[in-house]
Amino acid sequence: LAAKQGGAEVIMLALDTASLRRFAGDCARQNYRPIFGTADLLALSSLPSDPNADGMIIASKMAPWTDTSVPGIAKVTQAFAQYAPGAPPTGGNTNGWILGRFFESIGKNFPAGEVTLADVEAGVYGVKNDNLDGMTFPITMVKGQPMKRQLCYGVVVIKNAKYSRFPGKALRCTGTLPGASG
């Protein structure tokens, strides 16, 4: 009620999906319908089914899991269709896929047989300009230096009871953050 009385038009929520749904429902019962926002890891597959979540904007630190024009996202979607039919990709499980894809990149030149710590280190520092099939900014690892942080994000919106692609570029990057590392 305080947000409604204060004229808030947008509310960013850091709540689990059940709490997001309760909050949106409570607002609707007060005839208050601001634009809600949340983060990709908090938006489970059940969220779009709630009519009070329609229009919610989900911020992502990767290309949106709804944008199959991105090669890596297309692979995630294909894998879910094949191995988990009916369980759509979400921000959380796509983040997990990206981590797995990063470890795949690290291990692509591992020797056959037992892998040593030195092999893992060489794999990490061998990653150069890899955007993991378009899912993230180009990653380059340099020994003895923290990785340069880049501000990149994707946007998903709930529209008509499903997660949808937000208009515009899939992964939006503003470049390296000044003075930022690690």
Side-chain angles (χ1 to χ4, degrees), residues 62-64 67-76 97-98 100-102 104-105 129-139 170-171:
M62 63 188 173
D67 193 341
T68 56
S69 71
V70 175
I73 299 299
K75 289 177 186 175
V76 173
W97 180 278
I98 287 173
R101 180 61 186 78
F102 179 70
E104 177 187 31
S105 183
N129 205 32
D130 190 345
N131 70 5
L132 308 177
D133 297 323
M135 294 184 290
T136 189
F137 60 86
I139 300 170
L171 189 64

Side-chain angles (χ1 to χ4, degrees), residues 11-34:
I11 299 176
M12 189 69 172
L13 300 167
L15 302 169
D16 62 89
T17 295
S19 298
L20 286 168
R21 293 177 74 173
R22 279 192 304 276
F23 191 94
D26 290 346
C27 288
R29 279 187 286 286
Q30 298 299 322
N31 199 30
Y32 176 47
R33 300 190 187 281

Side-chain angles (χ1 to χ4, degrees), residues 162-175:
K162 65 179 187 172
Y163 288 119
S164 302
R165 185 179 185 278
F166 196 77
K169 195 173 179 181
L171 189 64
R172 303 150 197 253
C173 295
T174 62

Side-chain angles (χ1 to χ4, degrees), residues 85-155:
T90 64
N93 53 37
T94 303
N95 269 282
W97 180 278
I98 287 173
L99 290 171
R101 180 61 186 78
F102 179 70
F103 283 107
E104 177 187 31
S105 183
I106 290 170
K108 67 183 174 191
N109 293 317
F110 282 174
E114 189 173 328
V115 175
T116 67
L117 182 57
D119 296 326
V120 173
E121 185 178 81
V124 167
Y125 295 120
V127 175
K128 304 289 183 221
N129 205 32
D130 190 345
N131 70 5
L132 308 177
D133 297 323
M135 294 184 290
T136 189
F137 60 86
I139 300 170
T140 296
M141 306 298 284
V142 178
K143 189 171 185 169
Q145 296 179 20
M147 189 173 78
K148 291 181 179 170
R149 291 190 333 184
Q150 298 178 50
L151 179 59
C152 293
Y153 62 94
V155 183

